């Protein structure tokens, strides 16, 4: 596979994780504590997804053996 899909998906999910992290901080500052944990957890999931996308990209770049 080419690098473009992996890179764009990884950057998009990491960006979403960053936005959700900022949203969690804003929610905490505004007193919406009941939503902070859910948004923060989803932010972490986005960072993990971005990392796994990079791992997939690296593994896909290795030569395949039959």
């Amino acid at each position: 596979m080419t690098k473009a899909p992996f890179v764009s998906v990884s950057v998009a999910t990491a960006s979403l994780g960053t936005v959700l992290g900022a949203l969690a901080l804003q929610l905490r500052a505004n007193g919406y504590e009941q939503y902070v944990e859910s948004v923060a957890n989803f932010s972490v999931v986005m960072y993990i997804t971005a990392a796994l996308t990079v791992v997939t990209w690296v593994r896909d770049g290795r030569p395949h053996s039959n």
Side-chain angles (χ1 to χ4, degrees), residues 27-43:
L27 288 172
R28 178 166 298 185
N30 290 339
Y32 292 101
E33 288 291 327
Q34 66 268 27
Y35 302 113
V36 171
E37 185 177 356
S38 301
V39 174
N41 285 339
F42 194 62
S43 174

Side-chain angles (χ1 to χ4, degrees), residues 39-52:
V39 174
N41 285 339
F42 194 62
S43 174
V44 170
V45 168
M46 289 298 99
Y47 282 122
I48 291 170
T49 303
L52 290 175

Side-chain angles (χ1 to χ4, degrees), residues 2-26:
T2 62
K3 295 180 182 181
F6 288 111
V7 173
S8 62
V9 168
S10 180
V11 168
T13 54
S15 299
L16 182 58
T18 302
V19 169
L20 288 170
L23 176 62
L25 292 174
Q26 188 65 37

